[in-house]
Amino acid sequence: MCAYGERRPSGGPEPVAVHGLLAVGAAGYWWQDAESGARLLRGDASGVREVALPQPPDGLTVLAVHPADTGPGAALYGYPGGDYGYLTEAGAPDRVLARRPALVRLPRVRSATGGPAGPGFVYTGFPPGARLEDPPVDGIRVAVHRAGEPFAHDRPVPLGDAPDALVTLEPTADPDAVLVKSTARGVTAHRLLRLAPGSGLPLVTELPAASSPRTRLVLGAHRWWRGEALGTPRAVLYALPPGETDPSAGEPVSFPDGTAPAWFWGTRQGVVVRAVVAGGTEALYRIDADSPEPRLVAGGAPGDSFPEVTAAPDADCALWLRVGRRPDGGTAGHVEQLLDGTTAPRTLRVLPWPASAPRTTRFCAAGDGHRLPVGLSGTAGPVLLLEHGGLTALANAPLERALEDLARAGRLTVARAVTRSLVPAHRVPAGGRGYDDLLHAARHLRERTGPDRPLFVLGHSMGAVGAARAVLLEPGLFDGWILRFPVTDLVGFPALGIGRYWTALLGDPSRPEQRAALAALSPLHLPLPAGPLPPVLIQTGTHDTRADARHGRRLAERLRGRAAVTLSSYPVGHVERFCQGASRRAVAEVTAFVLDRAAVARAPEGASP
């Protein structure tokens, strides 16, 4: 989310980028982007209007806004694109530093200074007095704050003796409870934080942990709902009896044949479920606690998709963006809302939407026989193979939007490979499984397109490991490569930024047997091929706290003299936003690099893959 920049010219077309949906009470909020910035909109029964944002401190921008149903809200400020931010609210001049901050608003928080109870919030961050330039510390605290009081009077919540590297918060259908999720060593612990009615002190209850990111635990209508293997054909949603948290006690919810739950949100009445129907169509279902039968509330039409969904558990208000085809063949985006007690959603705002690019999926065999899906957008022009690593396409949202525009114009074919690059390096049989998936996808595309269509590969974050590894092993396959905010040093990563939190995921280079496996996979330590390498573009972010800029700089230095190297640095973080001017410049550099290099190759367009 971003600050509202300079005004767009009057009479210009409405922007189509919508993100950051937030439901508060019976109202919905969302960001709507333009080239010049973004604006925050509120939609309710009275209509849609723009929300005025406070002036941020010098040098900072608004990263997120948490409106209140009544009274002033809280805003999060920070460096554009960075993981750090100041958490402030009206009437409270103190600032709390938060890294990857999370915030859940509560309606009743006991005063720490003797005043009456009132609205407040639970948040993650560092102790008061910390500064943006301070280095990360082990563990992130969770605290409860009463709105209108100085942050110095907040109440820290002990989560246990062991520090947690990543802590997130989610609202629940109980207005006095917050779900706290913390990840360490590949396991996500769940805790329910509830404020005691008498003392207001936080009480923490341990819940079953999850060992997979596709497992989700949600509280809705006084019962727990647990999803397993979400987003896959094997996905199952379980409804647990009231008061029960043991996953084995749950009863599976029966969806129509060919329908698999992808994600879900708790509400006061039950849950709202986004599901994928056979053929790729998306739909939204509603399940009430008294009758766990899924009821279709939106979607079902071919071509409909729901890229943004959220819910307000305390008011049973769901909000989503539906993108669907119009009768004339075009597409439109509808911001829709489902209120408590209603059976059908109502439209808050209709937006012009670009037509979707033709999409197909091909499958190729990886080295161990794994069936590797490769999704294609477009049918002409050079081919750009993408890998996002540990983050979804949202990490590259501005770039994805620009690439889709080129695909619609017939100037580019975008290929997205779903690889296994995040398997711990020291557990990789023969040193290659997962990290070589992208190489197999590139070979498949080259066989399909022939030698005349230029082929480029782009890796973001951990995806840069697979992209760089593919080029270093078979440079003749590619006409160019792009590494965005990359991880390149799998041996020295614990000393770079927050890399010390990654040893459980990637491996521990202090252990000799794991160090050898990491060195065999690391782009910075792989042997360079004897011949020349294709041109490379490496982009780093000065505010990137996840993939330290030294990863990209060190690899660029090593490649000089062996390839035409372009090293660029932008004042952005690891995850970009549409409305940042620096993000737009970085995206323009990527598209220009691909199109210019393709023109140099002078390759005629051939048949589609």
Side-chain angles (χ1 to χ4, degrees):
M1 300 183 182
C2 309
Y4 184 44
E6 57 186 89
R7 301 281 175 171
R8 70 182 62 82
S10 59
E14 283 285 316
V16 296
V18 172
H19 59 101
L21 290 181
L22 182 66
V24 179
Y29 295 82
W30 65 92
W31 289 91
Q32 189 166 306
D33 287 322
E35 283 296 310
S36 59
R39 56 179 180 167
L40 182 65
L41 300 179
R42 171 189 167 106
D44 54 25
S46 64
V48 177
R49 61 183 181 276
E50 186 172 346
V51 178
L53 298 179
Q55 183 66 29
D58 290 343
L60 304 181
T61 186
V62 177
L63 300 181
V65 176
H66 298 266
D69 198 21
T70 58
L76 178 72
Y77 301 100
Y79 290 129
D83 287 334
Y84 295 98
Y86 282 120
L87 183 61
T88 72
E89 61 171 349
D94 299 89
R95 294 169 183 165
V96 171
L97 174 67
R99 178 178 152 272
R100 299 194 68 184
L103 182 150
V104 172
R105 183 170 295 278
L106 297 177
R108 296 178 300 274
V109 174
R110 187 184 178 95
S111 172
T113 61
F121 48 83
V122 179
Y123 71 95
T124 62
F126 293 157
R131 302 170 302 171
L132 282 176
E133 57 268 25
D134 288 346
V137 299
D138 292 328
I140 300 174
R141 79 168 185 169
V142 173
V144 180
H145 175 70
R146 164 70 168 86
E149 295 181 354
F151 280 107
H153 293 288
D154 62 5
R155 285 165 252 183
V157 179
L159 297 180
D161 296 332
D164 294 305
L166 176 61
V167 180
T168 59
L169 305 174
E170 290 187 11
T172 71
D174 184 341
D176 296 318
V178 174
L179 184 63
V180 182
K181 301 169 65 176
S182 57
T183 301
R185 300 176 179 86
V187 176
T188 300
H190 295 83
R191 302 175 179 93
L192 186 66
L193 189 160
R194 189 189 304 274
L195 301 183
S199 64
L201 296 177
L203 305 176
V204 177
T205 304
E206 296 286 341
L207 300 171
S211 58
S212 166
R214 297 187 183 274
T215 298
R216 181 165 171 79
L217 190 66
V218 164
L219 178 63
H222 306 293
R223 73 164 67 200
W224 288 99
W225 307 77
R226 185 178 178 92
E228 302 281 354
L230 295 171
T232 74
R234 300 179 289 104
V236 181
L237 177 63
Y238 296 94
L240 278 62
E244 182 63 67
T245 60
D246 183 0
S248 63
E251 290 291 331
V253 176
S254 179
F255 285 88
D257 290 342
T259 300
W263 208 249
F264 58 100
W265 296 260
T267 70
R268 191 166 53 188
Q269 292 188 348
V271 290
V272 173
V273 184
R274 179 169 59 194
V276 178
V277 187
T281 299
E282 295 182 17
L284 292 182
Y285 287 86
R286 184 176 189 168
I287 307 175
D288 294 336
D290 55 353
S291 176
E293 279 290 324
R295 292 184 291 127
L296 183 68
V297 295
D304 280 2
S305 64
F306 299 87
E308 291 268 0
V309 186
T310 189
D314 59 332
D316 201 26
C317 168
L319 183 71
W320 58 76
L321 171 66
R322 181 211 302 252
V323 178
R325 294 189 178 277
R326 297 194 305 262
D328 62 3
T331 55
H334 298 255
V335 180
E336 298 177 334
Q337 185 181 45
L338 185 68
L339 295 173
D340 186 12
T342 62
T343 58
R346 65 188 182 98
T347 298
L348 296 179
R349 172 63 61 90
V350 180
L351 304 163
W353 209 259
S356 57
R359 292 197 178 189
T360 57
T361 300
R362 308 291 187 190
F363 293 89
C364 65
D368 59 352
H370 172 70
R371 198 163 180 252
L372 181 67
V374 181
L376 299 168
S377 295
T379 58
V383 181
L384 178 61
L385 175 60
L386 303 180
E387 183 174 29
H388 295 296
L391 294 174
T392 66
L394 291 176
N396 282 294
L399 177 64
E400 290 275 341
R401 181 171 160 183
L403 296 179
E404 286 293 313
D405 286 344
L406 291 175
R408 279 188 291 270
R411 303 179 63 192
L412 182 70
T413 296
V414 183
R416 298 171 176 86
V418 182
T419 71
R420 301 165 292 170
S421 64
L422 284 182
V423 63
H426 60 284
R427 301 178 192 167
V428 175
R433 185 174 69 83
Y435 286 88
D436 282 340
D437 280 356
L438 202 66
L439 180 58
H440 290 288
R443 291 170 179 164
H444 173 81
L445 290 171
R446 181 57 86 190
E447 290 173 0
R448 292 277 180 170
T449 60
D452 293 335
R453 288 181 67 184
L455 175 62
F456 299 85
V457 62
L458 184 152
H460 176 275
S461 188
M462 280 299 300
V465 174
R469 181 176 171 82
V471 174
L472 294 177
L473 291 178
E474 292 191 31
L477 272 178
F478 304 96
D479 295 277
W481 42 318
I482 303 107
L483 307 180
R484 308 195 78 215
F485 320 118
V487 175
T488 66
D489 187 354
L490 293 181
V491 175
F493 71 85
L496 299 177
I498 61 173
R500 62 182 174 276
Y501 294 130
W502 303 348
T503 54
L505 175 67
L506 303 180
D508 189 350
S510 67
R511 302 174 61 179
E513 72 280 6
Q514 295 187 20
R515 183 184 181 91
L518 289 165
L521 297 171
S522 174
L524 196 65
H525 298 85
L526 278 172
L528 295 179
L533 291 166
V536 58
L537 168 63
I538 301 176
Q539 293 183 333
T540 63
T542 55
H543 303 311
D544 190 343
T545 59
R546 301 181 206 176
D548 192 283
R550 286 171 288 183
H551 281 280
R553 292 200 298 264
R554 290 176 181 176
L555 183 62
E557 187 62 30
R558 187 181 186 221
L559 296 176
R560 294 193 191 280
R562 302 297 301 276
V565 178
T566 302
L567 175 64
S568 301
S569 177
Y570 291 91
V572 299
H574 201 62
V575 178
E576 295 184 292
R577 296 175 174 86
F578 285 108
C579 57
Q580 294 171 13
S583 290
R584 296 198 297 273
R585 293 193 299 272
V587 167
E589 185 181 39
V590 171
T591 55
F593 178 87
V594 172
L595 297 178
D596 290 349
R597 293 295 174 182
V600 170
R602 296 179 181 175
E605 297 180 0
S608 63

